[in-house]
Amino acid sequence: QVQLVESGGGLVQAGESLRLSCAASGSIFRINTMGWYRQAPGKQRELVAIISSGGSTHCADSVKGRFTISRDNAKNTVYLQMNSLKPEDTAVYYCNFWPSLDAYWGQGTQVTVSS
């Protein structure tokens, strides 16, 4: 079974950058659209960005122009480059397939942006 492990979160100041990584353990990753999601305290989980197996991307309006999703199929890894971070980006970030599958939610990685 595929496992997805997120990493790269941390505490940064507003305006700084972080790059998140999601490593997948199985080759099925390469043929699937992958997504980054986030959940802020007291809010529902939301979709941040998706990338198809061929590299087509889509970002939520709230992060468009600041976040970039990419993937390296040879490494079974999907990335989320986050620039110009804002306090409202504070959340636990998760990767999953798109549409998401309940069985593949991992622990996520915490991103905290201070003002």
Side-chain angles (χ1 to χ4, degrees):
Q1 182 175 341
V2 175
Q3 287 187 315
L4 305 173
V5 179
E6 304 93 345
S7 63
L11 171 63
V12 297
Q13 294 188 333
E16 294 185 339
S17 300
L18 280 174
R19 189 175 82 153
L20 306 184
S21 298
C22 171
S25 61
S27 60
I28 191 174
F29 160 89
R30 302 177 185 179
I31 62 173
N32 281 277
T33 294
M34 301 297 298
W36 279 100
Y37 303 78
R38 67 185 181 186
Q39 187 167 21
K43 295 187 177 181
Q44 288 191 329
R45 190 174 289 164
E46 63 175 352
L47 178 67
V48 175
I50 59 173
I51 184 166
S52 71
S53 58
S56 297
T57 64
H58 173 77
C59 289
D61 287 344
S62 59
V63 305
K64 201 166 290 183
R66 301 188 297 121
F67 291 11
T68 302
I69 187 171
S70 61
R71 67 192 297 163
D72 185 336
N73 287 337
K75 295 182 179 180
N76 283 357
T77 302
V78 61
Y79 304 98
L80 186 68
Q81 177 67 43
M82 306 186 295
N83 298 330
S84 302
L85 283 160
K86 303 176 180 180
E88 51 263 45
D89 295 319
T90 294
V92 179
Y93 284 72
Y94 304 86
C95 69
N96 201 318
F97 298 99
W98 183 84
S100 63
L101 299 173
D102 286 344
Y104 295 100
W105 291 114
Q107 296 299 310
T109 186
Q110 176 71 48
V111 172
T112 304
V113 185
S114 63
S115 57

